[in-house]
Amino acid sequence: MAKKRSIKVYGQSGYKYQETPTIMLKGMWLKELGFDIGDYISVACEDGRLVITPDAERTAVKVAKTEYMEREMKALQKRYEAEKVKIRARMVAEKSAEYASGEEAADV
């Protein structure tokens, strides 16, 4: 049988500072039911009841977006490192060219 909890409906400032009903759910019992920090939920109103379920679709979108961003960041880091190597090589080549031109001028 399902556990029952008695929870108070609070008032909280809403649109144009008018008090609006607010329901706060918190406690480890939520984790035991499969609702974890950072999860998305869906709330449906059915026959005067609120039905709260995990929002699997939104969670999947969040996971896909996070994975995409991680892949893109790794690709950018690789491009940055490759560009840094090219710039360093160019700077070394330019410095050695400057030294060579300086020596040639001294020989004249």
Side-chain angles (χ1 to χ4, degrees):
M1 184 170 188
K3 291 182 181 179
K4 280 192 165 187
R5 304 223 183 266
S6 179
I7 298 172
K8 181 179 180 180
V9 177
Y10 292 92
Q12 192 171 30
S13 179
Y15 180 69
K16 292 189 177 181
Y17 303 104
Q18 291 185 354
E19 191 171 55
T20 58
T22 303
I23 299 172
M24 276 193 283
L25 301 174
K26 61 181 178 178
M28 293 307 292
W29 63 277
L30 290 169
K31 187 172 187 143
E32 293 168 8
L33 292 172
F35 298 96
D36 209 352
I37 296 170
D39 290 349
Y40 290 99
I41 59 169
S42 292
V43 180
C45 301
E46 298 175 1
D47 301 323
R49 294 175 182 225
L50 294 178
V51 180
I52 303 170
T53 54
D55 190 338
E57 182 179 329
R58 190 163 177 197
T59 300
V61 168
K62 178 186 171 190
V63 167
K65 184 177 180 180
T66 301
E67 290 173 352
Y68 171 78
M69 293 302 288
E70 287 174 0
R71 281 194 312 270
E72 289 299 308
M73 283 299 294
K74 286 180 183 176
L76 282 172
Q77 286 172 338
K78 283 183 181 178
R79 283 181 32 207
Y80 168 75
E81 290 299 326
E83 197 67 28
K84 193 164 67 170
V85 168
K86 287 181 187 177
I87 290 170
R88 282 187 180 154
R90 194 176 323 137
M91 287 178 64
V92 168
E94 289 173 359
K95 289 283 186 189
S96 62
E98 286 178 19
Y99 292 134
S101 64
E103 289 174 6
E104 291 170 359
D107 290 340
V108 176

